[in-house]
Amino acid sequence: MNKNNQAMNNYNTDFDAIIVGGGTNGLSAGCYLGMEGKRVLVLEALDKVGGMASSGYLIPEAPQHLVHPCAMDMMSMRVHAHVPRELELERHGFKSIELSPGYVYLHPDGTSLVFWRDRQQTAAEIRRYSARDAEAFLEFMEVIDLFLDIALPMMRVDPARTNLMTKLKVLGTALKRRKLKPELMALMTGSAHQAARERFEHPVTISAMCALTGLAGDISADGGGVYYALLGFLHRFGVGRVIGGMQQLSNAMRARLEELGGQVMTSARVEEILSSLGKVRGVRLADGREFTARAVIAACHPKVALEMVSAGEMPRNLLTRIAMAPANARGSGPLKVDLALDGQISVPRFEAARGDGVDLRKACLMIGTEEAVLENFAASARGEVPRLPYITMVAPNSVDPSQSPPGQDVLYIYPPVMPVNPREGWDALRERVADQVVEQLSEYVEGIQGHVIGRRIEAAPDFTARLNTVNGCVVHIDTTSMRSSAMRPAYGLGGDTLPVEGLYLGSAGIHPGGGVNGMAGRLAAGRVKRYLAKAGK
């Protein structure tokens, strides 16, 4: 009998809180409730915890090449560094390192632009192309700083609470720098592409900004200027990577939860969130077993969660509202290709052009001109595979050699913008598009063609099937100004109460949104703590 099945036989069936989904938000919620002495059960449908924050040896032909099927780098948890600190994850094996440099843009002409942690260094990179652009960049960072100083405090609190002191602090920040208000409003209401075009003149600068912000969403969409928060996070917090792979983070969270007395059950798919007379009472698994609890946190996609609630318990209008919440709504989503190589990649053309000895192999490489990024979004919206390359790529083992055999690379290839529902269908296109991506990438990076041991490919339908998300959307609900704070995932569903008493949402589909950080789980745990205290009176 394996450890998991043996543990299953020892489970109680009654808990203070049951958490549906063992990703980082579910585990985070469980840990925070465990720290309050609550009896917690986490149920995960897959055979291990982690969800999008997982890793494993997933290429049969390459059993020693570690693959990250979804999230890999850690920027978001560095933004919210209090979470791993509060959960004491280092005691349970979680270790990370900062990457330097973090992101590097490669232009077709052989030049490159490094996004350093230090903004002055980044400005110096830009100055190689345009002195005006370098000054414009430093001025732009003042606007981005203001945006972060307003947004970050609000990201760290529950939007359903009054948060008077936080709001006063934010107001003071805004008043102090009110001269920047016009530029801030232009950034928040305009598109990311508009912001780049307004400020910069050199094609390398503009293309680098488009390639970076395209990671967050459609650069031509109004309101997408907020995607420059990525640039602010990069300079303020840097980019980190988990030593030993992302699974180590999830395993550390599980270990902390179990240390606190919480229980975790894997290969346990929840079929129904049981509710009667408007009050949650537990869950029923696909195999028929039932567990009871005074509260349930759905740490899965909000649509999936609410549709699991017992029939007739959720109002029809809210089920319709969440079903229509945008998830890759503009028709684009990422493609993921993992390659195991029998050698190592290099970028000699770009390193020679720089001549400064910077090892570009260790960074996240971004390929995609302004034209290419725009073309990728437009083509995907039409259900067509883009023609021009817009690709990000990392060799995770370049900074953590434990992730592959000596002298061999494992590549994490991530074209951010591909059609969610291509006209020909992904079953017909999957292999052909992967070939196209590898060919395009090989024009920039040497050591790929002829060195592939094996590969793994996932498109939007694969993300949906494996991760139980909607439309392949890895952040659950699209990031827009109308889907933030208490409006996330939708009006009437982002507060601290739902029509079913004792049921709470706790995934990337609620405030503060996507990213590996555990903040949504932390927020949900706080709501459950208050609910249980009130219910116990």
Side-chain angles (χ1 to χ4, degrees):
M1 182 180 293
N2 67 41
K3 180 181 177 182
N4 192 56
N5 289 336
Q6 187 175 22
M8 285 165 59
N9 289 338
N10 296 328
Y11 279 131
N12 298 318
T13 58
D14 183 58
F15 297 86
D16 293 315
I18 291 173
I19 298 168
V20 181
T24 49
N25 277 312
L27 294 169
S28 170
C31 287
Y32 279 105
L33 287 172
M35 289 164 66
E36 297 293 328
K38 306 304 180 187
R39 292 172 296 119
V40 178
L41 172 64
V42 173
L43 298 168
E44 169 56 47
L46 299 177
D47 61 1
K48 62 182 178 182
V49 296
M52 296 188 191
S54 65
S55 53
Y57 300 95
L58 306 178
I59 300 177
E61 304 92 333
Q64 293 181 293
H65 290 71
L66 188 67
V67 169
H68 293 77
C70 197
M72 182 192 59
D73 282 341
M74 292 183 55
M75 183 187 291
S76 190
M77 189 165 268
R78 292 174 68 90
V79 173
H80 304 289
H82 56 289
V83 173
R85 185 171 60 249
E86 290 169 353
L87 299 185
E88 303 175 26
L89 297 185
E90 283 194 7
R91 289 198 301 106
H92 296 278
F94 166 63
K95 295 180 181 178
S96 67
I97 56 172
E98 181 173 341
L99 305 182
S100 182
Y103 287 81
V104 177
Y105 169 70
L106 305 182
H107 199 65
D109 65 4
T111 58
S112 57
L113 194 156
V114 175
F115 288 97
W116 295 99
R117 170 85 180 266
D118 182 270
R119 66 183 62 188
Q120 292 293 341
Q121 276 187 281
T122 303
E125 286 280 318
I126 295 172
R127 194 168 286 112
R128 295 188 299 126
Y129 304 102
S130 165
R132 286 180 58 185
D133 280 1
E135 295 310 308
F137 168 78
L138 292 172
E139 291 174 5
F140 188 28
M141 285 305 305
E142 291 184 20
V143 180
I144 295 172
D145 280 340
L146 175 57
F147 174 69
L148 291 190
D149 289 343
I150 291 172
L152 273 175
M154 300 308 299
M155 289 176 71
R156 293 170 176 160
V157 296
D158 185 341
R161 309 289 285 175
T162 305
N163 302 314
L164 181 59
M165 294 307 295
T166 302
K167 289 175 181 175
L168 287 174
K169 180 182 176 182
V170 165
L171 178 61
T173 297
L175 289 174
K176 233 181 255 185
R177 287 180 271 174
R178 56 186 175 274
K179 288 183 179 179
L180 291 174
K181 181 181 176 182
E183 291 300 313
L184 178 63
M185 294 306 297
L187 179 67
M188 295 178 65
T189 57
S191 71
H193 185 224
Q194 171 190 314
R197 272 283 169 182
E198 280 185 5
R199 289 170 173 81
F200 307 117
E201 61 181 10
H202 197 281
V204 170
T205 314
I206 295 170
S207 292
M209 297 298 170
C210 290
L212 181 66
T213 53
L215 296 173
D218 190 342
I219 65 168
S220 64
D222 280 348
V226 297
Y227 300 158
Y228 282 97
L230 285 175
L231 187 57
F233 291 156
L234 180 65
H235 287 304
R236 193 172 293 194
F237 303 102
V239 183
R241 192 167 297 162
V242 184
I243 298 298
M246 191 63 84
Q247 190 66 46
Q248 297 304 311
L249 167 64
S250 299
N251 289 349
M253 297 180 86
R254 175 177 182 165
R256 176 58 172 150
L257 173 60
E258 291 176 336
E259 179 183 60
L260 293 164
Q263 298 180 15
V264 178
M265 186 185 297
T266 55
S267 301
R269 185 168 63 85
V270 174
E271 188 77 21
E272 182 180 359
I273 297 174
L274 301 171
S275 172
S276 59
L277 301 177
K279 189 170 185 177
V280 78
R281 61 183 183 86
V283 301
R284 177 174 58 81
L285 301 187
D287 62 13
R289 284 176 295 170
E290 293 189 3
F291 298 89
T292 57
R294 292 188 290 161
V296 171
I297 295 175
C300 52
H301 193 288
K303 177 179 182 290
V304 173
L306 298 185
E307 290 179 352
M308 282 196 288
V309 177
S310 298
E313 289 288 291
M314 281 296 299
R316 180 177 173 275
N317 68 312
L318 292 183
L319 289 174
T320 301
R321 191 174 299 169
I322 193 62
M324 299 185 72
N328 286 339
R330 288 177 170 259
S332 65
L335 176 72
K336 180 71 192 318
V337 181
D338 296 290
L339 297 184
L341 305 181
D342 62 12
Q344 294 187 331
I345 60 138
S346 61
V347 280
R349 178 164 65 105
F350 294 90
E351 290 180 347
R354 295 184 62 83
D356 57 2
V358 175
D359 187 356
L360 301 183
R361 185 173 167 275
K362 292 184 177 181
C364 175
L365 303 178
M366 299 187 298
I367 295 164
T369 61
E370 173 191 18
E371 178 192 9
V373 178
L374 291 169
E375 185 263 350
N376 276 227
F377 279 107
S380 295
R382 298 191 300 268
E384 299 172 4
V385 175
R387 296 178 299 102
L388 301 176
Y390 176 32
I391 306 166
T392 62
M393 189 221 76
V394 176
N397 60 289
S398 62
V399 294
D400 181 8
S402 70
Q403 298 191 27
S404 69
Q408 299 185 354
D409 276 345
V410 57
L411 300 190
Y412 178 107
I413 304 172
Y414 190 83
V417 185
M418 284 284 173
V420 171
N421 297 300
R423 294 173 186 172
E424 297 177 60
W426 274 112
D427 287 344
L429 288 174
R430 195 177 280 103
E431 298 291 337
R432 185 178 1 134
V433 175
D435 288 341
Q436 172 187 317
V437 167
V438 170
E439 184 178 343
Q440 291 174 333
L441 184 60
S442 296
E443 294 179 11
Y444 294 77
V445 179
E446 295 185 11
I448 301 177
Q449 298 282 26
H451 294 278
V452 178
I453 301 171
R455 71 184 186 184
R456 183 178 184 276
I457 309 164
E458 282 194 327
D462 307 305
F463 287 124
T464 296
R466 180 170 63 86
L467 299 167
N468 206 17
T469 184
V470 171
N471 222 24
C473 186
V474 295
V475 294
H476 288 187
I477 303 294
D478 292 345
T479 304
T480 69
S481 58
M482 298 303 293
R483 302 289 171 171
S484 62
S485 190
M487 298 283 286
R488 187 174 180 86
Y491 180 79
L493 295 172
D496 60 356
T497 59
L498 290 172
V500 173
E501 184 182 339
L503 175 62
Y504 294 85
L505 300 176
S507 73
I510 69 165
H511 180 83
V516 178
N517 54 51
M519 281 295 290
R522 184 179 188 269
L523 180 152
R527 291 175 173 179
V528 168
K529 174 188 170 183
R530 293 191 294 272
Y531 170 73
L532 292 177
K534 184 178 178 181
K537 289 182 180 178

